[in-house]
Amino acid sequence: MIYLFVLLIVLVVAILWFVNLHPVFGGNPSNEQKELYSRFNNNSKGKFVNLVPTEMNLSVSDYYSMMKENLLGGKDRNPAGQIPVTAIDWNEISSGEDSLTWFGHSAFLLSVDNKKLLVDPMLGPIASPVSFIGSKRYSEDLLHIIDEMPPIDAVFITHDHYDHLDYLSIQKLKSKVGQFFVPHGVSAHLIRWGVEQEKIIELNWWDETKFQGLTIALTPSKHFSGRGMFNRDTTLWGGWVILGQQTRFYISGDGGYDGHFKEIGSIYGPFDITLMEGGQYDDRWSWVHMTPEEAVQAHLDVNGKNMMLVHWGAFTLAFHGWTDPIQRALIEAQNRAVNLIVPQIGETVPLNRDFAPVSPWWDI
């Protein structure tokens, strides 16, 4: 019995040592940052909080049902084969026309006023801190795309979860990025990974700034944060407003549906295009992820013209079928007269032309 107890202690120490030393887990805000955050109205007792009280703890029965579903398996939770990636048209991207290029999940390259902006550039092979546990990417590894990219004017991070902020991607990107825009606290991860502090701008909800002629603002979302075992909600989360001369973008970030969308629309709308999170949902965590139907409603709330559904098409992080998000979103969009665009992974969509009809590329 004593040997088992010693073994458990050694195992716990080894895990704590790994979490503290391996850079993939990121850093922690400094004491000066914590002092600053303590004066924010969205920070309580050292933790960031949502605009409305949000209970985010799963019950014992929730965990039991999740274990049962994992053991029994879910229907079509993964594609039957590898998802193809369209050959990226770098000439189109560099043409000077406003455009977006989707890399799956919530990762985008935006061209706005001839500026190259990367959003949540998670291009690594697995949404996890370790290679042997976690959801693997449906497509090929996309890290090589970073080598082909033109210089990036700015990177925008919505929050620090592994499917949005990727250590391997930042390592390859950091030398070719001019500026990083992040919610408060996320700088601690980037600095530990070798990004110069002068390159990082941190914002709170409703903070607004100018960047090379663009108007940038961080907006609220109803979510949470954390990369390690003991740093939950020590960094902020949110969505991004990016306003150019011709195109007004809204990026929801992750988060459940609530009244903040109408407030965002009243302040910054209308938007030419919205990138709305609507995948990896479940009744057991409905407060932090939207269903496709809620995503369409949120798009209407913010006064969007065209919509793209994000947070799907790359990883299995929930129990629904992998194509359920887009199939449900298409039905709801049709019912609500919303123009939904659905590009293939790697496809560049010019934003100042008529959009091509939806092609069900996911039927593989």
Side-chain angles (χ1 to χ4, degrees):
M1 190 68 182
I2 191 171
Y3 293 111
L4 180 60
F5 180 68
V6 171
L7 182 62
L8 281 172
I9 292 177
V10 170
L11 181 62
V12 169
V13 170
I15 291 172
L16 292 174
W17 177 82
F18 178 70
V19 169
N20 285 325
L21 292 185
H22 199 292
V24 71
F25 292 97
N28 293 302
S30 66
N31 289 333
E32 292 79 8
Q33 287 175 301
K34 292 176 182 177
E35 165 60 23
L36 171 66
Y37 304 159
S38 70
R39 300 195 291 270
F40 294 171
N41 61 9
N42 57 348
N43 193 281
S44 176
K45 299 178 182 179
K47 304 284 188 178
F48 285 100
V49 295
N50 288 303
L51 290 172
V52 296
T54 307
E55 177 59 50
M56 290 184 286
N57 293 320
L58 297 175
S59 67
V60 173
S61 62
D62 289 334
Y63 283 111
Y64 174 77
S65 63
M66 289 165 58
M67 290 175 59
K68 184 178 178 181
E69 287 187 53
N70 265 324
L71 290 173
L72 296 177
K75 183 180 180 182
D76 300 324
R77 289 183 63 203
N78 295 282
Q82 190 177 77
I83 297 297
V85 177
T86 300
I88 297 173
D89 189 341
W90 297 110
N91 291 328
E92 179 78 64
I93 290 171
S94 301
S95 69
E97 187 174 1
D98 286 4
S99 67
L100 68 80
T101 307
W102 186 41
F103 301 125
H105 206 62
S106 301
F108 286 86
L109 176 60
L110 305 180
S111 292
V112 189
D113 296 353
N114 212 22
K115 311 296 188 300
K116 301 299 177 279
L117 314 175
L118 265 176
V119 179
D120 283 353
M122 196 304 179
L123 301 174
I126 189 166
S128 169
V130 292
S131 61
F132 52 88
I133 298 175
S135 177
K136 294 183 179 179
R137 184 178 289 276
Y138 298 156
S139 68
E140 64 183 82
D141 186 346
L142 298 183
L143 285 170
H144 66 89
I145 290 175
I146 295 173
D147 299 325
E148 305 166 14
M149 286 181 181
I152 302 301
D153 294 287
V155 165
F156 293 82
I157 304 297
T158 61
H159 62 297
D160 68 1
H161 286 160
Y162 290 98
D163 56 321
H164 295 261
L165 179 60
D166 178 51
Y167 170 72
L168 294 177
S169 298
I170 298 298
Q171 286 297 302
K172 288 181 70 70
L173 273 168
K174 61 185 179 183
S175 63
K176 64 192 310 175
V177 174
Q179 197 76 58
F180 289 82
F181 289 90
V182 301
H184 274 297
V186 177
S187 65
H189 304 314
L190 299 181
I191 291 169
R192 186 179 183 188
W193 298 344
V195 177
E196 296 95 327
Q197 189 164 4
E198 312 82 65
K199 284 188 173 185
I200 306 170
I201 294 177
E202 290 190 308
L203 287 84
N204 197 1
W205 293 337
W206 306 119
D207 284 350
E208 182 180 306
T209 188
K210 297 289 185 180
F211 174 71
Q212 298 184 13
L214 304 175
T215 297
I216 308 297
L218 182 69
T219 53
S221 67
K222 191 170 74 172
H223 202 55
F224 67 106
S225 68
R227 293 178 71 85
M229 299 172 66
F230 308 109
N231 64 357
R232 180 157 168 169
D233 297 339
T234 57
T235 66
L236 187 58
W237 52 90
W240 290 103
V241 167
I242 302 173
L243 307 180
Q245 294 179 12
Q246 294 183 313
T247 310
R248 302 172 67 88
F249 283 92
Y250 172 63
I251 301 153
S252 71
D254 283 8
Y257 180 78
D258 217 302
H260 58 282
F261 290 112
K262 288 186 177 179
E263 187 174 6
I264 292 165
S266 68
I267 295 172
Y268 287 109
F271 296 100
D272 296 291
I273 187 160
T274 68
L275 310 178
M276 305 302 299
E277 181 255 357
Q280 319 314 320
Y281 45 83
D282 193 290
D283 288 342
R284 290 165 292 206
W285 53 81
S286 60
W287 48 88
V288 289
H289 284 297
M290 288 189 287
T291 65
E293 294 80 9
E294 289 173 324
V296 171
Q297 181 61 59
H299 163 84
L300 294 170
D301 287 354
V302 299
N303 197 8
K305 180 180 178 183
N306 303 289
M307 172 185 164
M308 182 170 172
L309 190 76
V310 305
H311 212 236
W312 76 284
F315 304 103
T316 294
L317 304 174
F319 295 91
H320 56 69
W322 82 275
T323 62
D324 282 5
I326 193 58
Q327 291 171 340
R328 288 173 57 173
L330 283 168
I331 294 171
E332 186 68 8
Q334 184 176 23
N335 291 339
R336 305 295 298 276
V338 167
N339 186 37
L340 189 68
I341 66 170
V342 194
Q344 297 183 49
I345 295 173
E347 180 182 357
T348 296
V349 179
L351 297 176
N352 299 317
R353 309 179 200 169
D354 291 336
F355 296 120
V358 172
S359 175
W361 55 262
W362 51 90
D363 290 340
I364 59 171

